[in-house]
Amino acid sequence: MIRVRSLTVEFPASAGQMRRVLDQVDLEVAPGELVVLNGVSGSGKTTLLSVVGGLLRPTSGAVEVQGRAVAKLTDTSAAAYRRDTLGFLFQQNYLFDRMSVLDNVALPLVAAGWSPGRIRTRVTETLATVGASAVVDRTIAELSGGERQRCALARALVARPRLLLCDEPTANLDAAGRELLLDLLDERKSSGVTILLATHDPLFDSAPHVDRVVRLEDGRVVTT
Amino acid sequence: MDPRSLANLVAAMLVREREKHLGILILAVVLVFLAASVLLLSGALRHEMELALDGQPDAVVQRMHAGRPVDLPVAWADQFAALPGVSAAQGRVFGRYFQEQNGVYFTVVGIDFFAENVGKELEALVAGLDVREFLDGDRMLVGSRVAGFLERGRYGGVYEFRTPEGDPVPVTVHGTLPEETDLVGADLVLVEIGLARRILGLGPDEATDIALSIPNDTEADAVMARIIGTHFDLRVLLRREMSAGYADSFRLRSGLFLLLGGAVLAAFGLVLFQRYSLITGTDRGQIGVLRATGWSVRQIIVLKTSESLVVGLLAYLIGAVGAVVYVHAAGAPGLMGLFLGFENLGAGAGPLHWIDTDALVLLFLFYLLPFTASVLVPTWRLANLDPVEVLR
């Protein structure tokens, strides 16, 4: 499903210097696997997810998802890849606070050309699966942190992607929310969805449905 | 994208973030209103002046003494009519009448109902008039401003003029000129030509000037030379010179409008700059999220342009309709005064019925396209960055 080869990412630092965030990373994730990326802050977990998700171009190396070289996709193909193949659950959620839950969750479907009727049906279904169907017409600003996280998860799942990328998914959730998330991830995994998840949360170290934990340190894979 | 889904999203973005759009909408409405008012008013007045010029004679002969026009023998009209190139000549009687108590001027114009009037303007003003009734006693047709003045002064339908010798001349108001003629006729008092001579103090054989009809425009210069040759103190004003006079007057006043237009343009530039800056700030995160959730650069540009188009179009409609109402229904109070300062009874004109649609189309293109496009470049620039970079 995912094949990462010699991946290096550098960011401009002060005084014209470059800071290497990922250094020659190699990683393979099979279809249907749930892989946890572990490591301290700054180890490169979020950057790795961003490159796999086509949100960031690498400095060198290659990333293939379902046989497609992600970094070489054209704008339209990259958009279609982000829309149809993967769902991305961001640490900060990145929801539009003033807009309704429906409008937020519907964003990938609008881009995919769905009609308003189909969009509402699919969004309602997806919100039900994450336990947030009651808030469909409320604005994000009116929601609690946990409810927002569920909406963000619904947006990541609404197009029923084959790959789910999660960045610190439990950061804003209470105990019940975390249990629900684990159940959801388990359910997705069971239906064949590949999941790559970056987290500090020790909950995932011992979770039964986690296939592998990959540890990153200073931009390098140290244990798989 | 499904256009209905796109429309729903644009509407949601506009309504949910209305505070963000309201400021720019109000500013754009004010700018469109000002620009449209200036363009509509100047266009309508230019049109009115062109119509007024159409009614002028081909040439006018004045007698000048010490650089000022004086009366001349009306018999010279026959002499000029006999000149090659001149088809008709007519002595005209008109002049300003100062109403001392109120410090206002009327323009008294004499009409010779038994001669063919040279120039269509007078004929147009008295078209449909029952001449027999009008000539039954001393009667007058008055412009709307004169009518208003007489009404306010409670003159009861009869105004008593005074001859230069101080003799009273009571004249009954026969009717009021239609408001469409206000631009040229608001301060007019139209009376029978003999009565005009009495009020203005002209002798029975005198005229204020002589209007000429010169059917072939190429002969106008030759006619002018011949007339100046007959009497040393004559001045001939050709139609094209009157036209230039109108144009000069209009250009002078257009200068004021140009200043106003310049101010509006500068403000519009600031609006565009503000929009350009705004999108690099608050909209930055929005574009990043759209990119991250599978929107292509083209789709984001369509979305942001649609949003901008709706705001711009709404502002244009409100501003332009407001300007049409302000100029064409309300008579542009305030702005009109800049144009009509030459009127004896003060600035003002009746409703201007001719709407300069070309100006509205021009404004539409020069306002709406840049307004809508102002979000294109920053959106395109941001949408082409890596989504992570935009979100960061």
Side-chain angles (χ1 to χ4, degrees):
Chain A
M1 180 75 181
I2 303 173
R3 177 177 293 173
V4 177
R5 286 280 173 271
S6 306
L7 184 69
T8 298
V9 174
E10 292 178 340
F11 289 135
S14 57
Q17 298 295 305
M18 298 301 282
R19 187 167 63 90
R20 185 163 288 195
V21 182
L22 289 179
D23 188 6
Q24 298 290 320
V25 170
D26 291 314
L27 178 69
E28 287 201 20
V29 179
E33 250 193 317
L34 195 168
V35 175
V36 169
L37 295 174
N38 206 333
V40 297
S41 291
S43 58
K45 306 186 296 292
T46 300
T47 303
L48 180 55
L49 285 185
S50 299
V51 176
V52 173
L55 304 179
L56 180 66
R57 272 181 284 258
T59 308
S60 64
V63 175
E64 281 182 18
V65 175
Q66 288 187 320
R68 284 183 295 186
V70 174
K72 291 179 181 168
L73 294 174
T74 61
D75 170 61
T76 312
S77 308
Y81 164 68
R82 287 191 287 264
R83 189 180 62 228
D84 303 330
T85 305
L86 69 90
F88 206 126
L89 180 60
F90 299 95
Q91 186 176 356
Q92 297 92 336
N93 293 334
Y94 291 130
L95 296 162
F96 298 156
D97 278 2
R98 311 285 293 275
M99 288 169 58
S100 70
V101 170
L102 172 69
D103 291 328
N104 270 279
V105 176
L107 286 177
L109 304 182
V110 176
W114 286 38
S115 69
R118 279 183 75 203
I119 286 175
R120 185 158 190 108
T121 305
R122 173 63 73 86
V123 169
T124 309
E125 282 171 12
T126 311
L127 283 171
T129 63
V130 300
S133 49
V135 298
V136 62
D137 289 318
R138 285 165 66 185
T139 62
I140 298 296
E142 295 171 321
L143 305 183
S144 67
E147 286 171 324
R148 288 176 193 215
Q149 187 78 340
R150 289 176 196 213
C151 291
L153 182 61
R155 187 181 62 192
L157 297 175
V158 75
R160 296 186 181 160
R162 304 306 302 158
L163 171 62
L164 186 59
L165 304 176
C166 305
D167 191 6
E168 302 289 358
T170 54
N172 300 309
L173 294 179
D174 54 17
R178 291 162 84 193
E179 285 300 322
L180 177 73
L181 179 79
L182 285 175
D183 290 345
L184 268 172
L185 293 178
D186 192 30
E187 181 204 296
R188 293 289 142 176
K189 183 175 178 297
S190 308
S191 60
V193 173
T194 309
I195 301 169
L196 188 57
L197 187 149
T199 184
H200 284 110
D201 195 337
L203 176 75
F204 289 97
D205 293 344
S206 54
H209 33 260
V210 172
D211 296 306
R212 270 189 300 148
V213 176
V214 174
R215 184 158 181 80
L216 286 171
E217 269 182 29
D218 296 329
R220 287 174 171 270
V221 174
V222 290
T223 51
T224 303
Chain B
M1 277 190 292
D2 185 306
R4 290 165 303 163
S5 300
L6 177 69
N8 284 351
L9 186 61
V10 169
M13 284 180 156
L14 290 172
V15 172
R16 302 283 186 183
E17 299 183 353
R18 54 186 170 275
E19 291 86 354
K20 189 179 100 182
H21 299 289
L22 202 61
I24 198 87
L25 179 74
I26 291 170
L27 201 57
V29 166
V30 170
L31 290 177
V32 170
F33 174 78
L34 283 176
S37 297
V38 167
L39 289 172
L40 286 173
L41 184 58
S42 87
L45 289 178
R46 191 187 299 114
H47 180 75
E48 296 279 330
M49 287 189 181
E50 282 165 6
L51 287 182
L53 192 66
D54 276 350
Q56 294 296 317
D58 300 319
V60 169
V61 182
Q62 292 177 323
R63 189 177 198 183
M64 307 297 288
H65 280 178
R68 64 186 173 82
V70 295
D71 303 328
L72 71 172
V74 75
W76 287 1
D78 296 334
Q79 197 181 333
F80 299 149
L83 291 172
V86 179
S87 65
Q90 183 189 25
R92 301 193 303 182
V93 175
F94 60 89
R96 299 176 85 200
Y97 181 91
F98 184 55
Q99 212 279 354
E100 205 172 340
Q101 292 90 330
N102 296 287
V104 296
Y105 284 98
F106 303 150
T107 300
V108 177
V109 176
I111 309 170
D112 187 349
F113 288 99
F114 302 105
E116 189 184 341
N117 285 295
V118 176
K120 290 171 282 185
E121 193 175 69
L122 268 184
E123 284 182 3
L125 289 175
V126 298
L129 180 71
D130 184 340
V131 177
R132 186 189 297 266
E133 193 186 347
F134 187 73
L135 295 179
D136 181 19
D138 289 341
R139 290 169 178 268
M140 60 180 170
L141 284 174
V142 295
S144 65
R145 293 242 153 198
V146 178
F149 166 77
L150 296 177
E151 198 178 317
R152 282 193 302 278
R154 300 177 191 283
Y155 288 96
V158 177
Y159 181 74
E160 197 168 79
F161 288 91
R162 295 266 165 184
T163 66
E165 291 76 30
D167 300 330
V169 183
V171 182
T172 305
V173 176
H174 183 77
T176 304
L177 295 169
E179 59 182 17
E180 290 82 8
T181 65
D182 269 4
L183 194 67
V184 291
D187 64 343
L188 280 188
V189 173
L190 298 183
V191 292
E192 190 275 324
I193 195 163
L195 177 57
R197 285 195 173 99
R198 269 194 289 153
I199 293 170
L200 297 172
L202 273 75
D205 299 326
E206 287 183 319
T208 311
D209 66 14
I210 293 172
L212 304 179
S213 176
I214 305 171
N216 185 352
D217 189 47
T218 57
E219 292 189 75
D221 288 318
V223 168
M224 180 167 73
R226 286 188 196 108
I227 288 174
I228 291 172
T230 59
H231 298 279
F232 72 96
D233 54 358
L234 293 184
R235 180 173 77 158
V236 181
L237 279 172
L238 297 179
R239 186 190 178 87
R240 61 171 176 264
E241 290 165 335
M242 289 185 269
S243 168
Y246 270 110
D248 283 347
S249 156
F250 188 77
R251 268 195 290 273
L252 181 70
R253 293 170 193 284
S254 288
L256 294 169
F257 280 69
L258 205 64
L259 274 178
L260 192 57
V264 169
L265 204 65
F268 184 53
L270 286 175
V271 169
L272 293 186
F273 179 74
Q274 189 260 1
R275 284 179 69 72
Y276 184 88
S277 311
L278 187 75
I279 201 159
T280 59
T282 56
D283 290 26
R284 194 183 168 93
Q286 208 174 58
I287 290 171
V289 172
L290 291 171
R291 288 280 281 153
T293 52
W295 287 62
S296 66
V297 173
R298 192 184 63 79
Q299 287 175 320
I300 293 172
I301 286 175
V302 168
L303 176 74
K304 300 306 287 182
T305 308
S306 305
E307 201 182 69
S308 184
L309 184 69
V310 171
V311 175
L313 200 58
L314 194 62
Y316 177 82
L317 287 175
I318 297 172
V321 170
V324 169
V325 171
Y326 169 69
V327 171
H328 294 285
L335 270 187
M336 187 70 92
L338 291 176
F339 257 99
L340 301 180
F342 60 87
E343 272 196 327
N344 295 335
L345 275 174
L352 301 163
H353 296 287
W354 188 79
I355 297 177
D356 191 352
T357 47
D358 286 353
L360 290 177
V361 171
L362 201 70
L363 181 65
F364 183 84
L365 293 176
F366 279 84
Y367 149 76
L368 197 62
L369 291 184
F371 186 90
T372 305
S374 64
V375 297
L376 273 179
V377 173
T379 302
W380 179 84
R381 202 165 49 82
L382 285 173
N384 270 292
L385 296 173
D386 280 336
V388 162
E389 201 175 329
V390 182
L391 288 169
R392 195 184 297 134

